[in-house]
Amino acid sequence: MSIAPGLQPESWHLLTLLDRAPGLHALADTLADLVDEGHPILAGTADLKYSNGLVRFQERHPDHYVQFGISEQHMVSTAAGLATTGWQPHVATFASFLALLACEQIRTDVAYTQLPVRLIGHHAGITLGYYGTSHHATEDLAITRSIAGLTVIAPADAAQLRSALRAATDWPGPIYFRIGRGQDPDVYDRDDRGFTIGRAIEHSVGSDLTIIATGSMVHPALSAAATLQAEGISTGVLDMHTVKPLDADAVSRAAARSGVILTVEEHSVLGGLGGAVAEVVAGHGHGARVVRHGLRDEYALIGPPSHLYRHYGLDADGIVRAARTALG
Amino acid sequence: MTVVKHDPQRDLADLIDTISERALFARLETVRLISIAKTGHYASGFSCAEILATLYYGVMRLRRGEPDWPERDRFLFGKGHAAATLYPLLADWGFFDPRELDEYTRLGNAFGDHPDMTRIPGIDFSSGSLGHALSTGTGIALGTRMRGYDSNVFVLLGDGELHEGQIWEAALGAAHHQVSNLIAIVDRNDHSLDGRIDTVTGIEPLEDKWRAFGWQAHRVDGHDVAALLALLRSVVADTARTSPVVIIADTVKGKGISYMEAEFGWHLGWLAEQDERNAIEELRRGR
C-alpha cells in the first residue's frame, strides 16, 4: 500500500491508514501465523478491515476470512454458529459497536453457550476522539465484565496483544479483547514478562501507592510511577491486562502493601477496572483506599485523542496529579 | 422365500401417515408438558407441528441416538418459545430419555420454554431471543461447509420474528456468501403476541422481499404434510442451488383446537382439567 503518485508524501488515505497504526499489524499477523501453525482460526470484520488491519490477514488467508458488512449483531451470532462446527472465530469491529450494539448477541449466543469466540473491540475508549460519542467506548469494560463466563483482556501494546492472542488459542471459553487504535507506545519488547491470562504483571512494588492500570494506560502509568518514585513516593505498578477474571491475589497483595490504590483506565470509573479492584479490596478488607481514575459519569468531549488524554488526566502528568491527590 | 415388491407410492403414503401421526403426538405432548408447567405456548407449537414432524421424519439427515454426529443436518428453532412441541420429537430420536420430560420446567431441569443447547442433546443452537437464529444458522451452515460436510441447516422462523432487524442482516449476509445449505422456513401463522401481524407491523409481500434479498423463495400450506414433504425434498435434492432458500409456510395459529384457532390469546396460556380433556379429544379426533 503506497501513497498515490502525485500526492505529497505526508498525504494519506484509507489504504495507507494502516501504516499509521503499526500496532494493528500484530492482530492480523498473529492470527495469520496461527492459521499457518494449524489453528482452526477464522477472522471476520464488519466493514472495517482497513481500520483493524484484517486486510493483511485476508491477503494471507482469504479462505479463513469472512467479510460481514455493517452488521455487528449478525456477525457475533454467526461467529457463535461457526464455533459450534469446530472453528475459532475472531470477529473485530469498533469496541462501541461490538460491546454496546451487539451486547445481547455476545451474552446469549457467545457467553452463555461458552463457545470459543474471540470478540475484538478495537479503537476502544476515546481513541476515536473527534468522531464523537457514538464512536467512543467508555462502557465496554463494565458491560463485558458483567457478562457471566466472558473473559476480558485489555493488552497494553502490540507485543502483549500478540502474547494474548497466542495464550487464547487453548482458552476454552469466549474472550473479549479490548484494544486501541494500534498506535500505543511500546511497553514491552518481545519479553512481556510471561503473559498469562488472569495473572497481572507486577512492574514494581510500592509501600505508599500502587497504580493498577490496564490497556492503553499502562504506558503512562509507568511514566507517572517513575516521576513519583523520583519524588520519594514508593510506587508500585500492576499491569492488569486481564480485567476478568481479575487477579484478586495481586490486588490483595497490593492492598496489604500500599495504603492507596489508584486504578487508571481509559473508560468510565463506573463498573470497569476501578470497580473490579474496589470489589476485591472491599471484600478482602485490607484497609487500603481505592481511588478510581478515568472518565466520570459523563460523555467524553470531542477532540484529538492526545488532547482528550490531557484534558481527562489520562496521560503521565494527569496520573501523577491524580496520585498526589489520592495520597492527600 | 417371499419377495416383497417395492412400491414407492405406498412407501410415500406410509411416510405421510407417520409424519401426521408424529405431528399429533407432538401436539398431545405439548398439552401434557404445559399442564406440568401450568403455563406455556400452545398455539405457536400447534402451528408448526407438521413442519417439525416433516423435517424430523421425512427430510433431515440424522442418526438415532447420536445428537452430535458431525455430518448431521441441523435444526434451529428461531421461534424457540414453541420448544415444548419439539422436545418430544428429540426424545423420539433417542437423543435423551423421554422420561426426562416429566420434569419439564421444574427447578434445575434441562427443559424450559426455550431450547437450550448447553443442557439438551439434539438442540443445535439455543434460542429465545428472537432474530438470532438465522445468523447462528448462517454460521453453522458456513462452518459445516468449510469443514467439507454437505449438511443442510434448517431454521424455523416465526412470522412475527421477521420484525427483528437482525433477520434482514442475516438475509443479506447469507445471500452474499451464497450459503445455499441454509433453508429457512417461516411459520406464517399471521399472529404475534399483540395480535394479527398486519395490525402490529405488516410484513407482506414476503416472497418478493426474500427474493429481493437474493433468496430462492417458495410458498406452501404448512399443514399439508404431502406438500411440505414434496417441497422440502425437492429443495434438498437440488444440489445445484447457489442461494439460500426460504419457504413461507402458511399455517393456522392454534391449529387442531377450535377455540385456539379462533382466539390469538392462546399464544400463552394454560388449560384447566376439563378443557384439557376436551382439547386432547379434539386433537385425537382430528376434527
Side-chain angles (χ1 to χ4, degrees):
Chain A
M1 281 175 273
S2 59
I3 294 165
L7 288 177
Q8 293 300 313
E10 62 269 27
S11 300
W12 55 273
H13 54 70
L14 177 67
L15 301 184
T16 54
L17 191 65
L18 196 54
D19 296 333
R20 294 157 54 84
L24 289 172
H25 295 185
L27 172 64
D29 295 349
T30 306
L31 293 182
D33 290 348
L34 290 170
V35 173
D36 287 338
E37 293 164 28
H39 293 279
I41 282 171
L42 303 175
T45 186
D47 201 38
L48 284 176
K49 68 178 179 182
Y50 297 105
S51 301
N52 54 34
L54 286 181
V55 62
R56 291 167 64 93
F57 178 90
Q58 182 192 14
E59 284 163 5
R60 283 176 60 185
H61 292 293
D63 294 343
H64 287 244
Y65 167 80
V66 186
Q67 172 62 267
F68 287 94
I70 308 164
S71 60
E72 293 78 9
Q73 297 173 338
H74 170 60
M75 176 171 78
V76 170
S77 297
T78 303
L82 284 164
T84 66
T85 60
W87 296 100
Q88 201 180 66
H90 291 61
V91 290
T93 187
F94 288 149
S96 55
F97 305 145
L98 190 55
L100 280 83
L101 180 56
C103 169
E104 197 243 356
Q105 285 74 11
I106 292 174
R107 187 270 239 164
T108 307
D109 297 339
V110 172
Y112 176 65
T113 55
Q114 282 296 290
L115 290 165
V117 174
R118 309 309 178 217
L119 305 150
I120 299 166
H122 53 83
H123 291 75
I126 48 176
T127 49
L128 283 168
Y130 44 78
Y131 285 62
T133 304
S134 61
H135 284 57
H136 297 165
T138 54
E139 308 86 355
D140 60 324
L141 287 178
I143 291 168
T144 54
R145 192 171 80 79
S146 70
I147 294 175
L150 183 60
T151 296
V152 180
I153 299 175
D157 68 358
Q160 198 175 60
L161 173 59
R162 280 193 286 270
S163 303
L165 289 168
R166 284 192 168 275
T169 54
D170 56 0
W171 189 257
I175 303 176
Y176 175 71
F177 286 102
R178 180 191 218 238
I179 62 179
R181 56 178 173 160
Q183 297 177 14
D184 292 314
D186 289 344
V187 175
Y188 302 100
D189 190 8
R190 292 166 70 90
D191 171 24
D192 61 1
R193 304 190 187 189
F195 180 91
T196 305
I197 294 175
R199 191 171 308 154
I201 294 171
E202 197 169 62
H203 283 270
S204 55
V205 295
S207 53
D208 297 321
L209 171 77
T210 302
I211 301 174
I212 303 180
T214 194
S216 58
M217 291 295 108
V218 173
H219 189 276
L222 287 166
S223 304
T227 304
L228 294 164
Q229 199 73 37
E231 292 175 8
I233 298 166
S234 173
T235 307
V237 177
L238 278 183
D239 170 0
M240 193 62 76
H241 50 71
T242 307
V243 176
K244 186 188 173 193
L246 194 78
D247 188 344
D249 292 340
V251 172
S252 190
R253 282 197 303 275
R257 203 157 44 214
S258 312
V260 176
I261 289 176
L262 179 70
T263 61
V264 186
E265 59 196 308
E266 188 182 342
H267 186 271
S268 167
V269 294
L270 303 173
L273 173 70
V277 168
E279 287 163 16
V280 171
V281 175
H284 286 249
H286 291 293
R289 201 155 61 84
V290 177
V291 177
R292 293 164 301 146
H293 188 50
L295 275 87
R296 317 307 302 179
D297 187 11
E298 64 190 319
Y299 293 99
L301 297 174
I302 286 170
S306 59
H307 296 205
L308 289 172
Y309 293 143
R310 200 178 316 137
H311 178 81
Y312 290 108
L314 294 173
D315 55 4
D317 290 345
I319 295 170
V320 167
R321 284 197 305 277
R324 288 191 188 121
T325 307
L327 289 164
Chain B
M1 200 169 92
T2 315
V3 177
V4 180
K5 198 177 171 197
H6 180 64
D7 179 351
Q9 287 302 329
R10 178 66 186 274
D11 289 350
L12 183 63
D14 284 350
L15 179 58
I16 290 168
D17 279 352
T18 300
I19 291 170
S20 304
E21 186 277 324
R22 291 290 85 184
L24 170 62
F25 161 72
R27 285 192 174 91
L28 291 170
E29 279 291 281
T30 303
V31 172
R32 182 176 79 87
L33 296 184
I34 293 177
S35 140
I36 296 172
K38 295 199 165 39
T39 176
H41 297 84
Y42 291 103
S44 312
F46 292 171
S47 70
C48 63
E50 279 81 14
I51 299 170
L52 293 173
T54 304
L55 284 172
Y56 274 86
Y57 297 93
V59 178
M60 286 171 67
R61 186 176 58 184
L62 299 168
R63 276 190 184 168
R64 179 159 295 282
E66 275 192 62
D68 296 326
W69 178 43
E71 295 177 46
R72 72 191 183 280
D73 286 344
R74 265 65 164 190
F75 175 74
L76 283 80
F77 212 174
K79 43 173 284 174
H81 52 272
T85 310
L86 172 65
Y87 295 150
L89 305 183
L90 300 182
D92 202 37
W93 267 94
F95 296 157
F96 52 82
D97 185 338
R99 283 172 300 189
E100 290 186 43
L101 289 175
D102 297 346
E103 298 300 309
Y104 178 69
T105 69
R106 290 191 175 139
L107 180 66
N109 93 104
F111 301 91
D113 241 13
H114 297 89
D116 185 334
M117 66 189 276
T118 71
R119 297 166 197 265
I120 304 171
I123 296 295
D124 289 318
F125 211 95
S126 305
S127 59
S129 182
L130 299 173
H132 297 208
L134 198 57
S135 298
T136 47
T138 299
I140 295 172
L142 274 171
T144 51
R145 190 167 77 180
M146 292 166 82
R147 288 234 162 263
Y149 304 137
D150 59 348
S151 306
N152 286 306
V153 177
F154 298 90
V155 183
L156 182 53
L157 304 168
D159 50 0
E161 184 175 10
L162 302 187
H163 293 151
E164 292 280 8
Q166 190 180 347
I167 292 286
W168 302 102
E169 292 184 359
L172 278 174
H176 175 83
H177 290 288
Q178 298 188 312
V179 188
S180 54
N181 55 336
L182 180 67
I183 300 157
I185 303 166
V186 177
D187 182 1
R188 183 77 174 103
N189 63 27
D190 200 31
H191 289 84
S192 59
L193 204 53
D194 279 358
R196 285 180 58 94
I197 295 281
D198 59 5
T199 68
V200 177
T201 297
I203 56 174
E204 291 289 352
L206 270 182
E207 291 149 276
D208 290 348
K209 281 194 175 72
W210 288 94
R211 285 192 186 118
F213 275 72
W215 288 54
Q216 192 191 118
H218 305 273
R219 196 146 194 154
V220 68
D221 177 343
H223 299 300
D224 181 340
V225 170
L228 272 172
L229 185 65
L231 177 55
L232 280 160
R233 284 188 158 184
S234 77
V235 166
V236 168
D238 175 18
T239 51
R241 65 189 189 273
T242 55
S243 62
V245 179
V246 66
I247 294 169
I248 317 296
D250 288 304
T251 60
V252 175
K253 191 140 177 168
K255 176 72 176 175
I257 297 181
S258 51
Y259 50 88
M260 288 192 185
E261 292 180 16
E263 170 55 65
F264 80 91
W266 284 103
H267 178 92
L268 195 65
W270 177 61
L271 291 165
E273 210 176 318
Q274 185 55 47
D275 293 329
E276 187 179 302
R277 274 199 294 274
N278 294 340
I280 291 168
E281 207 174 299
E282 200 174 336
L283 287 173
R284 285 194 193 284
R285 268 204 317 272
R287 292 199 302 118

